[in-house]
Amino acid sequence: MPRRPRLGTVLVSVCSMVVLAACGSGETTAPTGAPRESTVTVTNCGAPAEFPASASRMFVNDGNLISMVLAIGAQDRVAAVSSIQRDADTLRRHYGAAAVDGLHDVSPQAYPGRETVLAQRPDVMVAGWNYGYAEDDGLTPDWLRAQGIAPYVLTESCRSGDTGARGIVDPWAALRDDLTNLGTITGRDAEARTVVDDITARLTALQQAPQAGTPPTIFLFDSGTDTVYSSGRFGAPQGIITAAGGRNALDDVADTWTSVSWERIAASRPDAFLFVDYPPQSYSEKIAVLRARDGIKDLPAVQQNRFLNLPYGLWTSGPLNIDAAEQVRKALEGWGLVPPSALQPAFDDTAR
């Protein structure tokens, strides 16, 4: 699981190879992929970042970032992907088997190492802090720049300061930024606008649905035994739960993904538990942990089996977040925690 993270104005600049060093980021080495003839500059993590125009050899890590590329129809711009295995079936269901199975998968289950990335000669790498980028293995945006590879950082994972906390904007704004930026980088601007417009329309429908007088408190259980890994106000689950008509039990935590104590969970008295379907801890094992824990096992949510298990790719920042929000909404309606509505999810991704 990622041990995790406004719609910026897109600036476009065209530079010849002769003057490339004077443009944008000041890189003087061409990427290891195709020669860079022109560049585009987008705002990434609050700062201008330069990329080759119409990137053609992207290396994309993790299912949620791969889903962004598939959603905008830019899979032909991808040289390689990694960490797709746990999300492959979900991605096939939403984007088709041909698009998913046509990707060059070089590290199906694990995050890639530096050698794996270099071997693919990418011009751009798309990943995030704790979604592939990490200081401890040396695969960082700074290292990529030194190799002539332009690094894109998942906006949800952008660091907010020296504490290591991630998240700088509302999670739906972060998603819109990433889709828009990746559309610019791959030459799929129109397709990205279509995806963003669809998400916006579906969010509006959720917001206009009948709401509970007091939003039910929802706890997202990623994994854990001694403590529990969950998500604060900058993570995608915050946006999902709020859009569905609930309140994230950790909406006061200024981080994306983080660990909390059982005492914190018990004090929040959640009305329902949502689960990230994520190995190695299974759905049944997570429920068993809840049923065995003093202070938790007697909660009405546990006693009445208010549990929903959705795949990793729906919870981590990506276009499938809107599908998660619709499915959480229907679950809340089914439990009587929010009023019934005419909304119908486009998909059923429940992992059973």
Side-chain angles (χ1 to χ4, degrees):
M1 191 71 176
R3 304 311 188 206
R4 333 301 192 215
R6 166 166 96 207
L7 192 57
T9 300
V10 177
L11 307 173
V12 181
S13 63
V14 180
C15 311
S16 71
M17 288 290 289
V18 175
V19 298
L20 179 61
C23 300
S25 66
E27 292 177 15
T28 58
T29 305
T32 55
R36 183 184 296 179
E37 296 181 354
S38 62
T39 63
V40 292
T41 300
V42 301
T43 299
N44 186 209
C45 291
E50 185 182 276
F51 296 88
S54 296
S56 60
R57 292 193 58 82
M58 297 196 301
F59 191 114
V60 187
N61 179 74
D62 233 339
N64 57 315
L65 289 152
I66 295 167
S67 72
M68 294 185 189
V69 172
L70 293 172
I72 65 174
Q75 56 267 28
D76 61 326
R77 301 290 183 174
V78 177
V81 299
S82 54
S83 306
I84 191 176
Q85 190 61 45
R86 62 178 163 246
D87 291 310
D89 287 343
T90 300
L91 296 176
R92 290 187 188 102
R93 183 162 54 252
H94 285 263
Y95 303 111
V100 176
D101 295 340
L103 296 169
H104 180 40
D105 185 359
V106 296
S107 184
Q109 299 186 34
Y111 286 170
R114 297 196 300 187
E115 295 78 9
T116 300
V117 174
L118 283 179
Q120 302 307 313
R121 300 179 297 106
D123 50 7
V124 172
M125 182 164 182
V126 182
W129 287 111
N130 298 93
Y131 291 83
Y133 296 146
E135 276 92 356
D136 57 5
D137 62 10
L139 183 52
T140 66
D142 284 345
W143 180 83
L144 288 165
R145 291 187 192 97
Q147 314 310 309
I149 303 166
Y152 189 84
V153 180
L154 176 72
T155 300
E156 187 211 46
S157 79
C158 294
R159 290 170 166 174
S160 58
D162 297 331
T163 64
R166 287 165 291 165
I168 58 174
V169 294
D170 167 84
W172 291 112
L175 175 58
R176 292 186 185 101
D177 282 357
D178 286 335
L179 289 166
T180 301
N181 287 344
L182 290 174
T184 298
I185 293 166
T186 62
R188 298 290 193 275
D189 300 85
E191 292 84 347
R193 282 195 297 272
T194 297
V195 176
V196 169
D197 288 347
D198 176 67
I199 290 170
T200 300
R202 291 162 73 182
L203 272 176
T204 299
L206 284 163
Q207 292 161 355
Q208 291 177 346
Q211 303 295 316
T214 299
T217 298
I218 311 299
F219 187 85
L220 180 72
F221 190 127
D222 173 318
S223 57
T225 51
D226 296 334
T227 59
V228 177
Y229 205 65
S230 187
S231 187
R233 75 168 180 262
F234 289 118
Q238 168 77 20
I240 292 165
I241 292 168
T242 302
R247 183 187 75 84
N248 179 12
L250 301 185
D251 63 2
D252 61 334
V253 176
D255 205 343
T256 54
W257 296 87
T258 188
S259 294
V260 295
S261 69
W262 285 104
E263 291 75 16
R264 173 64 196 265
I265 301 170
S268 71
R269 296 191 60 80
D271 296 295
F273 285 89
L274 309 178
F275 297 95
V276 182
D277 190 49
Y278 184 80
Q281 192 177 32
S282 70
Y283 175 48
S284 59
E285 288 170 339
K286 291 171 186 175
I287 292 176
V289 169
L290 294 178
R291 295 196 186 286
R293 175 67 63 166
D294 289 340
I296 303 294
K297 62 185 179 183
D298 295 325
L299 291 173
V302 177
Q303 293 289 309
Q304 298 177 29
N305 299 313
R306 295 179 196 152
F307 305 136
L308 178 66
N309 190 35
L310 293 176
Y312 172 96
L314 271 72
W315 291 117
T316 48
S317 184
L320 299 183
N321 295 161
I322 190 63
D323 293 280
E326 292 172 346
Q327 293 172 56
V328 171
R329 169 74 198 204
K330 294 313 290 186
L332 297 181
E333 290 181 18
W335 296 323
L337 297 176
V338 297
S341 74
L343 287 167
Q344 291 299 324
F347 291 87
D348 180 2
D349 293 288
T350 306
R352 297 177 175 87

